[in-house]
Amino acid sequence: MLIAGNWKMHKGPGETAAFCAGLWELIGELEGVDVVLAPPFVSLHAAVEELEDSGIRVYAQNVHWAEEGAFTGEVSRSMLIASGVAGAIVGHSERRQYFGETDETTAQRAAAALEAGLGVIACVGETLEEREEGETEDVLRRQVGAIAEAIPEPDAALAVAYEPVWAIGTGKTATPEMAREAHALVKSIYPVERVLYGGSVKPENAEELLSQEDVDGALVGGASLEVDSFTAICETAARLNRS
Ligand code: PGA
């Protein structure tokens, strides 16, 4: 199981350091679950320093495919590696929705990051309109297909996160059946080892979602901002993994 906290545009370096110290104290000994935290770029250093030797890995929320160049606002793979960062989230729906990220740029970012030895969480998922129009399968085939084309042989460092856009930050979650179906579909399109579920995962629904077949972890937004709720989700994953 992999539980990743996506902080989005929350927590500067000071808050990050305090959070990480608290998190390590609570889940330092937890077995059977890989834990990832993805703070904003400016807080990566604080997280890496605080979590050194903890086993908790720090990911960025994006990464560019080029080595360097005229790409204002972007960060390269080698910059992340030099900062002690272990991986990156790519293609999050907020990047797609608000910042013009496409299937192609998502796949390009993912392939380049893996090639450099970084871990990757590549996000896919349908909007409410697409679900209501019965297009979920087509959307997932297109999004996952682009990743598969760029990375024909998935390795263990790559996880796909299925995040129905209508469930992100809304308090609505996919039903366990919806999650199971979508995850099975992703795996049938592309033999990736881990498919994470994302979209309003909280301590109260973590067990129900994480116990579904083909749900190999979670990408957690809002509930990753508090040490207690994030810890509770990590503990649930560790418990399910053992049983
Ligand atoms: P949420 O966000 O848990 O706040 O819904 C999940 C995500 O966007 O990764």
Side-chain angles (χ1 to χ4, degrees), residues 6 8 92-94 163 167-170 198-201 219-223:
N6 172 18
K8 311 190 178 186
H92 189 277
S93 70
E94 286 148 17
E163 300 203 296
I168 295 178
T170 57
S200 299
V201 176
L219 182 54
V220 186

Side-chain angles (χ1 to χ4, degrees), residues 130-143:
E130 289 164 341
R131 177 161 282 271
E132 285 175 350
E133 295 293 323
E135 293 168 359
T136 300
E137 180 170 341
D138 289 349
V139 169
L140 292 179
R141 284 193 183 282
R142 195 194 70 225
Q143 294 177 334

Side-chain angles (χ1 to χ4, degrees), residues 15-27 37 46-47 50-51 227:
E15 275 177 285
T16 297
F19 181 103
C20 291
L23 183 69
W24 189 7
E25 205 169 295
L26 282 175
I27 67 164
L37 263 193
E50 202 64 51
L51 295 174
V227 173

